[in-house]
Amino acid sequence: MSKTKPPDKAHQEGSTASPPWPGDPRVRLASCVNELMTKSGMTQRAAAEQLRMPQPRISAIRNYRLSGISIEKLFSVLVALDQNITITVKPQRRRGSGGVDVVLTEGSAS
């Protein structure tokens, strides 16, 4: 099980869009997509064909330029990459500590 890490500032340099807020789940979902693509050796062109998305959209995800990319779109990309998505809502451990965690679990059986 690996917890995805948000991109560092280098991933966001050169983007004219304002970066997503630090806790934005889209960043963590994009990180899962990127990790899966890297591990499989999938090129942006191959991903564009498999996911039926324009290659510039894949590039935007790879570079964390997520303006205009919804959580739902990232969910559909992960499902197309043969991933299951589970959403769990649970109480905060302590007041003011709520947030969103996205965890990519490898090798889990359904």
Side-chain angles (χ1 to χ4, degrees):
M1 184 184 300
S2 70
K3 235 180 185 189
T4 59
K5 297 177 186 172
D8 58 25
K9 290 184 181 184
H11 285 104
Q12 295 175 352
E13 286 178 9
S15 174
T16 56
S18 60
W21 53 277
D24 187 341
R26 294 176 306 150
V27 173
R28 297 207 171 117
L29 293 168
S31 182
C32 289
V33 170
N34 291 336
E35 187 174 335
L36 291 165
M37 286 180 61
T38 299
K39 284 184 178 182
S40 70
M42 184 182 292
T43 64
Q44 288 185 22
R45 180 178 291 189
E49 290 175 15
Q50 179 179 337
L51 302 171
R52 296 187 176 123
M53 291 175 65
Q55 182 276 329
R57 194 78 146 169
I58 300 296
S59 176
I61 293 170
R62 295 288 285 169
N63 291 292
Y64 299 93
R65 292 187 313 264
L66 302 174
S67 177
I69 298 177
S70 68
I71 288 174
E72 292 81 3
K73 175 52 88 178
L74 291 165
F75 282 171
S76 70
V77 167
L78 288 164
V79 169
L81 293 172
D82 296 324
Q83 302 300 302
N84 288 319
I85 297 168
T86 303
I87 299 172
T88 304
V89 178
K90 60 185 178 181
Q92 303 176 58
R93 290 190 181 137
R94 63 182 193 278
R95 188 164 183 80
S97 67
V100 176
D101 289 322
V102 176
V103 179
L104 178 61
T105 306
E106 298 179 43
S108 60
S110 312

